[in-house]
């Protein structure tokens, strides 16, 4: 029996923390997990899950319109935000229950309060109690970053957007990344007039230029407005609750909702990390080695608070690797190569591996194959929206080093194709695979 109250104390019950807690417990550790808000963290409570449900909800706007071309007699339909909002929030409650149950089944003690670090082996709870643990794992995630603009308090972030009383008629979204493009699509499909305001002239900068240009073209074609190189100067709230967004060197924009989607900052403040000597970088990220260990031997960190790759499946892998390493007698690290990702915009885009620009810089000679097509369903629906698939191949080895797609179901298709890219398969391997016809995915094995 160790001298500590617990073998492991996890701070933060999000994706990374929950996985680390339950696997460590399965390896025989005595584990407690503290959560100041709700079990499930950003992904389940106010991120990936409710967002994806809103994306499904938004898609019906197009599906109902398209259905007429497929012979369905669809009457004019109304959208009721409150029904969708409440159903989504109820599903979030359900999932929170499941996460809580899973922790309970694994004999992890859940402590529903804020915890801070009081020493290398000591955690202080909000109630005033101090507990000890052989190891402490920080998995507190990240928090929306709101730029310093006069009147910024009148805007909301992704934390609040799922709880709106009404669906706004005019929405301004600050930022041009994942959340901005996903919510631009969602609100537009719900009938709002959407303007995306970005400080630079590029959106989704980590994605391939041709793919993001296609999203921009399609989004503009649908009626979403974009203001690039635009700096917000001031946000004014009117007595009737509407807002006026003042832009430097540009026309002001009137709106009912301002959503800040300007990045997420590691949530490392006021956790007692500096006091105990844990190193934090200039962006607030906890510095860790390949085994998720900080410079303080007994303190580890996983997930967004380490700002490596801000994606749920990565945090889960880090949490699992931590548990196997520290309690499972199986030291292992996470492989960060070829992580697939997607933006659930309308239409969605997805990618794995190097963009064309990255491949040209790194490899010199590359071959690029593209398929620019209108999905069969879009043709019959008279929907003038073209998909674009792009394959980047190392010209010397024939190895596929990147796949980039925009079009219906792109994330679903890319997840499977990412296995081939990760496995290092060649363009010839793709060509040798017989097409599955008729499908959109067959374009991947027919690229010329
Ligand atoms: P992103 O990093 O994707 O985009 C941030 C945007 O805000 C960029 O356009 C950036 O401009 C702009 N920006 C940054 N700082 C400022 C500032 N001070 N003032 C004005 N604009 C600014 O962040 P998101 O908030 O959209 O999402 C956060 C993270 O969450 C993502 O990086 C992603 O890892 C994760 N996420 C993943 C999703 C998915 O997997 N589908 C969905 C949602 C979030 P510039 O490019 O010019 O710097």
């Amino acid at each position: 029996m160790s001298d500590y109250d617990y073998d492991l104390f996890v701070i933060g019950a999000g994706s990374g923390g929950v996985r680390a807690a339950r696997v460590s417990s399965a390896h025989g550790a005595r584990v407690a997990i503290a959560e100041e808000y709700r079990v499930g963290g950003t992904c389940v409570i106010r991120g990936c899950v409710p967002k994806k449900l809103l994306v499904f909800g938004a898609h019906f706007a197009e599906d109902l319109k398209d259905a007429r071309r497929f012979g369905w007699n669809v009457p004019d339909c109304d959208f009721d935000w409150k029904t969708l909002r409440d159903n989504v929030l109820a599903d979030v409650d359900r999932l929170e229950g499941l996460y809580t149950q899973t922790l309970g089944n694994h004999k992890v003690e859940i402590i529903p309060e804020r915890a801070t670090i009081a020493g290398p082996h000591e955690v202080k709870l909000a109630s005033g109690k101090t507990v000890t643990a052989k190891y402490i794992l920080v998995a507190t995630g990240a928090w929306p970053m709101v730029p310093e603009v006069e009147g910024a308090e009148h805007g909301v972030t992704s934390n609040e957007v799922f709880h709106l009383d009404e669906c706004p008629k005019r929405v301004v979204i600050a930022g041009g990344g994942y959340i901005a493009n996903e919510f631009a699509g969602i609100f537009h499909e719900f009938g709002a007039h959407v303007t995306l305001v970005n400080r630079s002239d590029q959106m989704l900068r980590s994605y391939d230029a041709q793919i993001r240009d296609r999203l921009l073209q399609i989004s503009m074609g649908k009626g979403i407005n974009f203001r690039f190189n635009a700096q917000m100067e001031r946000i004014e709230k009117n007595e009737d609750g509407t807002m006026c967004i003042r832009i430097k060197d540009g026309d002001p924009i009137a709106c009912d909702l301002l959503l800040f989607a300007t990045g997420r900052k590691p949530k490392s403040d006021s956790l007692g990390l500096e006091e105990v000597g844990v190193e934090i970088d200039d962006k607030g990220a906890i510095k860790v080695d390949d085994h998720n260990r900080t410079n303080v031997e007994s303190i580890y960190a996983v997930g967004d608070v380490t700002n490596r790759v801000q994606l749920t499946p990565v945090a889960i892998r880090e949490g699992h690797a931590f548990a196997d390493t520290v309690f499972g007698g199986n030291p292992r690290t996470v492989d960060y190569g070829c992580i697939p990702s997607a933006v659930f915009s309308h239409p969605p885009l997805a990618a794995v591996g190097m963009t064309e620009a990255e491949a040209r810089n790194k490899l010199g000679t590359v071959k690029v194959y593209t398929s620019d097509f209108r999905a069969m369903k879009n043709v019959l629906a008279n929907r003038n929206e073209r998909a674009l698939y792009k394959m980047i191949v190392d010209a010397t080895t024939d190895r596929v080093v990147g796949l980039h797609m925009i079009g219906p179901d792109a994330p679903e298709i890319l997840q499977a194709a990412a296995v081939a890219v990760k496995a290092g398969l060649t363009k010839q391997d793709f060509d040798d695979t017989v097409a599955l016809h008729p499908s959109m995915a067959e374009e991947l094995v027919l690229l010329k």
Side-chain angles (χ1 to χ4, degrees):
M1 203 57 186
S2 87
D3 298 337
Y4 302 105
D5 296 327
Y6 303 99
D7 297 318
L8 173 66
F9 195 100
V10 182
I11 305 180
S15 302
V18 167
R19 176 61 66 95
R22 82 164 168 77
V23 177
S24 298
S25 186
H27 286 316
R30 292 169 307 137
V31 185
I33 189 165
E35 171 55 57
E36 63 179 334
Y37 184 53
R38 294 179 67 182
V39 172
T42 301
C43 174
V44 174
I45 306 295
R46 46 196 175 191
C48 327
V49 171
K51 178 277 307 290
K52 187 75 188 277
L53 293 172
L54 291 189
V55 168
F56 283 131
H59 224 285
F60 279 99
E62 293 183 353
D63 290 342
L64 286 165
K65 238 182 258 164
D66 294 351
R68 294 186 172 131
R69 288 278 305 162
F70 287 84
W72 290 90
N73 239 329
V74 182
D76 286 337
C77 296
D78 291 336
F79 168 66
D80 182 37
W81 161 253
K82 288 180 182 151
T83 302
L84 178 60
R85 178 199 63 191
D86 294 348
N87 288 343
V88 168
L89 295 179
D91 206 51
V92 167
D93 291 346
R94 182 184 66 84
L95 287 170
E96 184 186 8
L98 285 179
Y99 268 67
T100 308
Q101 204 182 338
T102 303
L103 287 171
N105 291 345
H106 283 84
K107 300 190 172 46
V108 174
E109 185 184 340
I110 302 173
I111 301 176
E113 50 186 296
R114 183 172 170 76
T116 50
I117 295 174
H121 299 280
E122 255 178 33
V123 173
K124 189 160 194 245
L125 302 175
S127 57
K129 192 177 163 195
T130 300
V131 296
T132 59
K134 187 169 183 195
Y135 298 106
I136 298 169
L137 176 70
V138 184
T140 46
W143 196 249
M145 215 273 302
V146 174
E148 281 179 24
V149 184
E150 190 186 330
E153 68 277 10
H154 301 309
V156 300
T157 68
S158 54
N159 284 351
E160 296 83 29
V161 75
F162 300 103
H163 297 267
L164 300 176
D165 291 333
E166 287 169 34
C167 189
K169 293 199 169 51
R170 299 163 304 174
V171 182
V172 168
I173 304 179
Y178 283 82
I179 298 177
N181 280 284
E182 291 179 345
F183 275 92
I186 289 168
F187 282 123
H188 173 77
E189 298 297 331
F190 291 160
H193 185 269
V194 177
T195 307
L196 205 138
V197 176
N198 196 31
R199 66 173 177 185
S200 66
D201 61 353
Q202 272 182 34
M203 58 181 209
L204 292 167
R205 49 171 86 246
S206 64
Y207 284 88
D208 190 89
Q210 252 180 303
I211 301 291
R212 47 187 155 92
D213 275 359
R214 178 61 54 92
L215 177 64
L216 181 60
Q217 280 168 26
I218 295 175
S219 301
M220 283 167 50
K222 285 179 197 263
I224 297 173
N225 297 297
F226 289 83
R227 296 268 194 104
F228 288 113
N229 295 315
Q231 205 181 323
M232 286 194 185
E233 254 180 354
R234 196 168 67 250
I235 294 127
E236 295 162 1
K237 183 127 186 176
N238 304 315
E239 276 178 15
D240 61 0
T242 61
M243 276 171 274
C244 176
I245 316 295
R246 302 273 171 199
I247 311 275
K248 192 173 178 221
D249 304 325
D251 292 336
I253 316 171
C255 69
D256 308 301
L257 178 81
L258 166 63
L259 171 64
F260 284 106
T262 40
R264 292 172 59 83
K265 191 178 168 304
K267 211 175 164 192
S268 58
D269 290 351
S270 321
L271 277 176
L273 290 162
E274 290 94 336
E275 290 80 346
V276 86
V278 171
E279 281 180 28
I280 294 174
D281 75 12
D282 55 354
K283 293 201 170 86
I286 298 178
K287 291 192 195 173
V288 287
D289 65 14
D290 289 349
H291 286 290
N292 304 294
R293 191 178 220 158
T294 70
N295 58 312
V296 175
E297 232 174 82
S298 56
I299 303 180
Y300 289 70
V302 295
D304 286 1
V305 76
T306 64
N307 205 21
R308 285 172 284 184
V309 182
Q310 285 190 348
L311 294 174
T312 296
V314 176
I316 290 173
R317 289 206 164 210
E318 290 169 355
H320 207 128
F322 158 82
D324 287 350
T325 302
V326 177
F327 296 107
N330 174 24
R332 60 187 192 86
T333 57
V334 172
D335 175 0
Y336 293 93
C338 275
I339 296 173
S341 66
V343 183
F344 293 94
S345 41
H346 278 76
L349 57 89
V352 65
M354 290 188 237
T355 62
E356 180 180 345
E358 283 167 351
R360 286 197 190 285
N361 275 337
K362 279 194 192 137
L363 306 173
T365 45
V366 297
K367 284 188 185 157
V368 178
Y369 300 87
T370 55
S371 174
D372 188 335
F373 64 101
R374 205 144 65 113
M376 208 174 174
K377 184 171 167 238
N378 282 348
V379 175
L380 194 73
N382 266 347
R383 187 168 287 285
N384 190 18
E385 217 176 279
R386 297 184 73 81
L388 179 64
Y389 291 4
K390 190 166 171 183
M391 180 183 278
I392 317 294
V393 177
D394 181 338
T396 319
T397 60
D398 195 41
R399 186 175 164 161
V400 177
V401 294
L403 268 183
H404 309 274
M405 310 166 61
I406 179 168
D409 296 330
E412 303 291 340
I413 299 166
L414 186 109
Q415 173 70 85
V419 177
V421 179
K422 175 81 183 152
L425 298 193
T426 60
K427 170 76 167 68
Q428 191 61 50
D429 291 318
F430 276 76
D431 293 348
D432 289 345
T433 307
V434 175
L436 193 159
H437 184 74
S439 68
M440 292 179 286
E442 70 179 313
E443 295 297 324
L444 290 176
V445 298
L446 299 172
L447 290 165
K448 290 277 175 293

